Amino acid sequence: MLDQALLLDDAGRPFTQNGPTFSEDWDQVAAFCRQVYMPFRVQPAAPRTAPAATMRLAQIGRITLTRFAYGVPVHLDRFDPDAGNILVLNTLRGTLRHQQDGGQHVSTAAGDSFVVDCSRTDYWLDADASHMQLNLTIPHDVVENIATRWLGGRPDPQLWTQRVAFGGTGSRWHTLLAYAVRSIQADGSLLLGTNAAAHLEEMLCVELLQAWSERAGLPLRAATAAAPHYVCRAEQIMAAEAAQPPTIGAIAERVGVSTRALSDGFRRTRGMTPQQFLRQRRLEGFHRALQQARPGDTITTVAADWGFVNLGALAKRYYEHFGQLPSRTLAQRRHN
């Protein structure tokens, strides 16, 4: 159903696009990816291999659709969370291997889809030489706002951290995606005019939320209220001072509530305790410090800067979260 997506429209006319649709230049491919996805790192499986990249795009409201492939095997990681984007990777052919929790991974083949919120969790993927993708890039705020309108409150915050495979040929998602693609004409406009963009955007986001929540085991009916100001302020403090964090009691005092009220606020609106939130920020900070390590830095010295003493426990938690040991991250930094 999607084989000709962004190649021919529903009337059989070839899609037109400003800019290149194929490239063998890494810099040109990187510029395209920054534009439609976000900054991230690309490592070809074989050094000094030129890409044979397909680069096609279309727009449905605030959703960017891309028909994309590198044309060579690659490993992608270090997706920039500040871009604020959710990726939905729909495999047309070939195979992708995606990061999941606990050092696990899952593969997607033709007809399968995978969703990850790169603004809320780390992510890596491996793509084989024959991969071809029809991807969606959706700002997190767009999906969250649509969820709020439909549910009367925000979804369980844990949903955004879940990396899940879903869909499949014949699924509701696959059928809706095919309908959306058929609605785009050869010049990039929508068959039913500009008013159709908002409706298609909402349909895609709602179906994505349904499929995502079902696979994550987090029912959408479990909506949560907006976080109170003291939870948001506590998050800012913990993010800014993660290397040498104050106690949760001290944080509660600084934001003007009791420790119990702060914990209740986090559980109700974030689905986790303040301690869990702080542990995640510290682990992510340690990860970034390894990626930015200076010559002569070691695991021990970087861990000490972040107040970690038990290196064995740290390595275990790090592997569960990032899918590799701290030593591997440091070795990649030195290699680069």
Side-chain angles (χ1 to χ4, degrees):
M1 263 194 304
L2 293 170
D3 289 347
Q4 299 301 311
L6 304 190
L7 296 177
L8 302 174
D9 71 5
D10 205 36
R13 297 169 298 190
F15 276 92
T16 59
Q17 176 177 312
N18 293 326
T21 59
F22 176 83
S23 179
E24 295 179 328
D25 180 81
W26 281 114
D27 290 338
Q28 191 173 56
V29 177
F32 177 85
C33 291
R34 284 194 299 271
Q35 173 193 351
V36 301
Y37 303 127
M38 69 197 77
F40 55 85
R41 184 175 66 169
V42 183
Q43 295 177 295
R48 296 181 295 278
T49 301
T54 298
M55 306 182 302
R56 292 181 172 273
L57 75 156
Q59 205 72 30
I60 296 180
R62 292 164 290 181
I63 299 175
T64 303
L65 282 74
T66 49
R67 183 186 183 95
F68 183 76
Y70 282 98
V72 295
V74 291
H75 174 83
L76 312 182
D77 61 9
R78 299 187 188 178
F79 288 80
D80 183 6
D82 293 336
N85 287 332
I86 293 170
L87 294 182
V88 187
L89 300 109
N90 308 284
T91 301
L92 300 180
R93 64 171 181 263
T95 303
L96 265 61
R97 188 169 67 114
H98 310 265
Q99 177 188 9
Q100 291 194 302
D101 292 333
Q104 302 298 309
H105 64 267
V106 65
S107 294
T108 54
D112 298 330
S113 300
F114 188 90
V115 59
V116 55
D117 187 344
C118 293
S119 72
R120 297 298 190 272
T121 190
D122 284 70
Y123 175 58
W124 56 257
L125 71 84
D126 294 316
D128 68 11
S130 62
H131 71 276
M132 180 63 70
Q133 297 296 123
L134 180 67
N135 298 328
L136 276 63
T137 307
I138 315 175
H140 171 94
D141 290 347
V142 169
V143 180
E144 186 165 5
N145 289 339
I146 287 174
T148 301
R149 291 204 308 272
W150 275 72
L151 304 172
R154 291 182 171 88
D156 189 324
Q158 292 186 60
L159 179 65
W160 311 124
T161 68
Q162 302 299 302
R163 319 174 190 95
V164 302
F166 68 101
T169 302
S171 65
R172 296 194 314 266
W173 172 254
H174 197 270
T175 302
L176 176 59
L177 190 59
Y179 170 75
V181 169
R182 289 199 304 271
S183 300
I184 307 171
Q185 299 186 98
D187 62 358
S189 64
L190 293 181
L191 187 62
L192 300 178
T194 56
N195 290 336
H199 296 294
L200 276 175
E201 176 187 278
E202 187 158 281
M203 289 169 63
L204 287 165
C205 288
V206 170
E207 181 56 39
L208 174 63
L209 283 162
Q210 291 283 356
W212 194 352
S213 63
E214 287 172 7
R215 294 305 299 265
L218 296 168
L220 284 177
R221 64 177 178 275
T224 57
H229 70 90
Y230 58 82
V231 169
C232 297
R233 178 58 185 142
E235 289 177 330
Q236 294 171 353
I237 292 171
M238 286 188 272
E241 303 177 24
Q244 296 179 321
T247 65
I248 299 302
I251 294 171
E253 184 176 354
R254 286 168 63 178
V255 301
V257 297
S258 67
T259 302
R260 180 173 180 176
L262 183 62
S263 294
D264 288 346
F266 264 86
R267 289 181 184 278
R268 186 175 68 256
T269 64
R270 297 297 187 244
M272 64 178 72
T273 66
Q275 291 87 346
Q276 289 171 323
F277 180 88
L278 180 57
R279 281 197 293 271
Q280 288 186 9
R281 299 293 84 74
R282 283 173 51 73
L283 202 60
E284 290 164 0
F286 175 64
H287 177 64
R288 287 192 300 272
L290 290 177
Q291 292 178 325
Q292 300 165 7
R294 299 159 297 185
D297 282 345
T298 66
I299 300 297
T300 302
T301 59
V302 177
D305 289 342
W306 281 82
F308 291 109
V309 177
N310 188 333
L311 296 185
L314 172 61
K316 182 176 183 295
R317 292 199 302 273
Y318 190 95
Y319 185 85
E320 289 174 349
H321 194 76
F322 298 109
Q324 61 180 205
L325 291 171
S327 56
R328 175 62 176 165
T329 304
L330 186 59
Q332 289 174 338
R333 166 63 175 171
R334 288 170 176 162
H335 178 73
N336 293 333

